[in-house]
Amino acid sequence: MALADVDWSRTAWWGIGAVLAAALTFVVYSFVGTFVFGVFIYYATRPVYNRIRRRIPQPTVAAAVAIFAMVLPALLLAGYALLIVANQIRELDIAANGYLDRLPFTQETLDVLTDPSQIAMLDWQQYVTLDTLDGALSSLAQAADTVAVIGIGAIHLFVMLAVAFYLLRDGGRLGRYLVRFTDQSGIVEAYGRAVDRDLKSIFFGNILNAIVTGTIAVIVYSILNVFAPEGGSIPAAALVGLIAGVASLIPIVGMKLVYVPVAAFMTVRAVANDVTGGLAFVLVFALASLVVVDTIPDLVLRPYVSGRSLHVGAVMIAYTLGPLLFGWYGIFLMPLLLVFVVHFVRIILPELLSGEPLRPYAVDPTHLTAEEPPVQPSDPAADEVGDGVDAAADQGTNPPEDEGR
């Protein structure tokens, strides 16, 4: 091709687009954990948002209610549970690399905040005097590092909630745009629906269940230990609760792998040491584990879980390798990558290898929609406006002018 035949204007714009794409990729890479956790919050909140939309038609208000009235308190509760675990890890002297030393709390403060019995006995009036407030302000001025840690954490939390909020409110628009801009014969819609269905199953059905279970277990076990007989308490109660939440990711047996051996250990210890009331406390621990920690969260979340088409072993490997490869956010990022890869191989790759035009019929098209029948117009849950690519089915309809404002 001669230089005279080159469309320099178009080439320049492609170059600018490449630079902008590289910049955006760098930003997402630098804060990948924040963005991935925001996507998780979106999928965890979406069923709640859809129910709220049936009563609050305005998407902005519905998304705000779902995020700030339900998700933010849940995140704060989960953060408090992690604070209890961090304090227990520090007390057991099993912290590594000095990460826990960077917590913006003294050991004395942690002991008070993470012990339910001490919180119940606190005289809160002593903390609201003028001298106390003056001392707190002086300490705050001297604790620049602590303020910086809290401030950075607050910024990350804000970005996570913002990502989830705008995906809830404008996800339908984004899905329709992608379909209209890129789809030639329905392949983007078919791929997007399959990915969306499995991400919902993984993020809402599995990981959210683990986080809810772990949070409940940490708090319940810590409270139970307040009433435990001498010599018969739950060993490392917060850690047991956290491990129980992680174990809930294991199919079939789940957290029973944790609380059943712990109950057996407590029973043997109570009998061997002749602990007064020890067996009764073990029974309370077992019942609380079975009913409050194990059964209730499962019953609440299980009706929302559907369409699990991924191999259980592959999902388990993703859960295991994710944190090892990427850090804390790997448990969210690795399953997301697994979903994208599996459905690319299942839907796109056969067409690419055969050299035929891409179309969504490389698989049985009825399989893609069998588990998610289309929303009827009479159903007020035309709330699927916030359902991401699911709303891409509305290719031929334009969103209301005021939607999302």
Side-chain angles (χ1 to χ4, degrees):
M1 177 185 294
L3 292 178
D5 297 331
V6 176
D7 188 340
W8 293 108
S9 176
R10 182 177 293 273
T11 302
W13 280 115
W14 274 113
I16 293 174
V19 172
L20 293 176
L24 181 61
T25 301
F26 174 75
V27 171
V28 174
Y29 172 77
S30 301
F31 299 96
V32 61
T34 302
F35 285 106
V36 171
F37 196 80
V39 173
F40 160 71
I41 294 176
Y42 160 68
Y43 275 98
T45 312
R46 203 172 74 181
V48 177
Y49 168 78
N50 289 339
R51 289 179 176 272
I52 293 175
R53 278 297 307 275
R54 296 174 183 176
R55 295 168 175 80
I56 305 177
Q58 225 291 335
T60 300
V61 177
V65 171
I67 292 290
F68 295 102
M70 299 183 180
V71 175
L72 188 56
L75 288 177
L76 295 177
L77 187 62
Y80 178 68
L82 287 177
L83 189 65
I84 296 176
V85 174
N87 188 46
Q88 197 157 86
I89 291 175
R90 174 179 280 173
E91 289 178 348
L92 295 174
D93 196 24
I94 59 176
N97 301 320
Y99 287 130
L100 296 181
D101 294 332
R102 297 165 59 184
L103 288 173
F105 302 100
T106 65
Q107 183 62 49
E108 181 181 358
T109 303
L110 278 175
D111 289 339
V112 173
L113 289 177
T114 58
D115 188 341
S117 61
Q118 293 193 42
I119 292 178
M121 293 186 298
L122 280 178
D123 180 12
W124 294 101
Q125 292 183 351
Q126 64 176 317
Y127 296 104
V128 293
T129 63
L130 292 177
D131 292 339
T132 303
L133 292 176
D134 183 62
L137 292 175
S138 300
S139 300
L140 188 63
Q142 299 172 2
D145 292 339
T146 299
V147 174
V149 171
I150 296 176
I152 292 174
I155 292 174
H156 282 279
L157 178 61
F158 171 78
V159 174
M160 293 173 187
L161 295 179
V163 169
F165 174 82
Y166 286 110
L167 283 176
L168 287 173
R169 197 190 72 171
D170 302 320
R173 289 182 175 183
L174 177 62
R176 287 190 292 270
Y177 172 78
L178 291 177
V179 168
R180 291 169 181 165
F181 183 74
T182 62
D183 220 359
Q184 299 298 322
S185 55
I187 190 65
V188 172
E189 181 181 348
Y191 182 71
R193 283 182 177 274
V195 167
D196 182 73
R197 183 181 63 249
D198 279 330
L199 286 182
K200 174 186 174 184
S201 174
I202 285 179
F203 282 159
F204 189 87
N206 295 345
I207 297 181
L208 180 62
N209 182 72
I211 293 177
V212 170
T213 298
T215 301
I216 293 175
V218 168
I219 295 175
V220 168
Y221 293 163
S222 299
I223 293 176
L224 282 179
N225 259 2
V226 175
F227 306 97
E230 185 176 355
S233 61
I234 304 169
L239 285 180
V240 170
L242 179 65
I243 296 172
V246 175
S248 67
L249 294 172
I250 301 175
I252 303 175
V253 289
M255 66 191 70
K256 296 178 182 63
L257 287 175
V258 176
Y259 68 76
V260 170
V262 170
F265 167 78
M266 293 172 61
T267 301
V268 173
R269 183 185 60 184
V271 172
N273 298 333
D274 194 22
V275 177
T276 303
L279 293 179
F281 184 74
V282 172
L283 179 61
V284 172
F285 166 76
L287 289 176
S289 300
L290 177 63
V291 177
V292 179
V293 178
D294 194 348
T295 304
I296 292 179
D298 187 71
L299 290 177
V300 171
L301 296 179
R302 191 59 54 191
Y304 296 100
V305 182
S306 62
R308 183 178 294 127
S309 61
L310 299 176
H311 190 277
V312 174
V315 175
M316 285 302 305
I317 292 174
Y319 287 148
T320 304
L321 295 182
L324 297 178
L325 289 175
F326 303 109
W328 66 268
Y329 58 85
I331 197 171
F332 306 101
L333 180 59
M334 194 69 175
L336 185 147
L337 295 177
L338 173 67
V339 170
F340 277 104
V341 170
V342 166
H343 290 297
F344 181 87
V345 172
R346 187 171 69 90
I347 298 176
I348 309 295
L349 188 60
E351 301 286 357
L352 294 177
L353 293 178
S354 65
E356 299 176 358
L358 290 177
R359 60 188 187 277
Y361 308 114
V363 294
D364 180 5
T366 60
H367 172 71
L368 295 175
T369 57
E371 295 174 354
E372 293 191 10
V375 178
Q376 298 299 323
S378 59
D379 189 344
D383 50 22
E384 299 301 318
V385 165
D387 269 8
V389 181
D390 272 356
D394 292 335
Q395 296 182 58
T397 57
N398 294 320
E401 290 297 326
D402 61 342
E403 180 181 355
R405 292 183 183 175

